Amino acid sequence: MSVLLIRANRNDRDKEVLASRGFDVIVEPYLQIAQIDNPEGAARLLNALKSEADWLVVTSVNALHYWSNQVEENSIAATIGARPELRIAAIGDTTATAVRNLGAREVVTPDEGTSRVLADVLGEYRPGIIVLPSGSISMRSIPDTLTPRGFTVLEETFYRTDVVDEPPSTADSLTGHGVDVVVFRSPSAVRAFKHFHQSIPEPVRLVASGPTTAAEILEAGWQTDATATNSSAEALADAVARAVEKA
């Protein structure tokens, strides 16, 4: 059985785990990511993190990466280490691991890896100042939910996500390239896939990394055959296995 991974980057761990489960893996990005140069915004968030911020909230490994690219090396990790009172929140296991790699000890994560649920979890805490590095198409759930509750959300954008310029080879035919399962790790991946595929051949199964992505698949007019219980590569591989069992 062949599984198609289409996100712009960070496919290595998914590929490794799926291959260990006996799946053939095709990595072919339908999205591309580019840094948005925003040194003033990067400095603004870092200065807030050093002084007034109560929270660092990470909803994307890419946002953390491209923010880190635009400040002094190790400065974010140093700030986390120097401020033990700073609270850290992340949207899921992958983002939590990225922040722990910078020295965070305790990371608040929601039971469901969506920005909407994360916003609700944060809303249970006393209002404070949130530092939020973001991408160009980030969900608005956190500022829209928390600002009316008295939080101040300091947000800056550090990367953009676009559909690839050249059609992927699998854009002409999924079955022609032996694709049995397509994995979607974000709503933007669904939209990019829809750009090249108006319909899904009956044998092909669709797997979502979470409920928000599954909802986007439904919005596209398709159905999700399995949804991962969390954002880890292991949970995603479990979902692929469940989807294949339905075939």
Side-chain angles (χ1 to χ4, degrees), residues 22-38:
F23 293 104
D24 295 323
V25 182
I26 302 168
V27 177
E28 190 167 57
Y30 277 56
L31 291 165
Q32 56 191 359
I33 287 178
Q35 177 171 299
I36 293 176
D37 293 330
N38 183 9

Side-chain angles (χ1 to χ4, degrees), residues 56-235:
L56 169 62
V57 177
V58 181
T59 60
S60 163
V61 174
N62 285 316
L64 186 62
H65 170 74
Y66 288 110
W67 176 31
S68 299
N69 278 357
Q70 300 185 60
V71 294
E72 186 177 348
E73 187 176 2
N74 297 322
S75 58
I76 297 174
T79 301
I80 291 173
R83 294 198 60 205
E85 76 281 11
L86 180 70
R87 288 193 169 109
I88 314 287
I91 200 169
D93 294 339
T94 303
T95 49
T97 297
V99 187
R100 288 191 183 100
N101 288 340
L102 295 178
R105 296 179 181 178
E106 295 185 12
V107 182
V108 175
T109 57
D111 292 334
E112 179 184 300
T114 66
S115 58
R116 175 184 57 81
V117 177
L118 177 57
D120 287 338
V121 170
L122 295 174
E124 297 299 316
Y125 289 83
R126 180 170 57 85
I129 298 172
I130 292 174
V131 163
L132 180 65
S134 297
S136 60
I137 55 174
S138 297
M139 303 295 287
R140 305 306 306 161
S141 300
I142 289 175
D144 289 353
T145 299
L146 296 180
T147 300
R149 299 187 187 184
F151 287 80
T152 299
V153 180
L154 305 178
E155 183 176 14
E156 294 286 348
T157 301
F158 299 112
Y159 73 99
R160 61 175 297 117
T161 305
D162 300 297
V163 177
V164 292
D165 296 325
E166 296 294 327
S169 64
T170 52
D172 60 359
S173 171
L174 294 173
T175 53
H177 289 272
V179 175
D180 300 294
V181 181
V182 182
V183 167
F184 298 97
R185 271 204 169 272
S186 67
S188 59
V190 179
R191 294 190 291 271
F193 197 75
K194 180 77 171 180
H195 180 79
F196 294 106
H197 297 276
Q198 296 306 303
S199 62
I200 304 295
E202 178 55 36
V204 177
R205 301 301 179 191
L206 307 183
V207 172
S209 62
T212 303
T213 302
E216 190 70 25
I217 291 173
L218 184 63
E219 181 68 21
W222 305 325
Q223 73 171 31
T224 303
D225 295 287
T227 301
T229 55
N230 61 61
S231 64
S232 70
E234 290 76 13

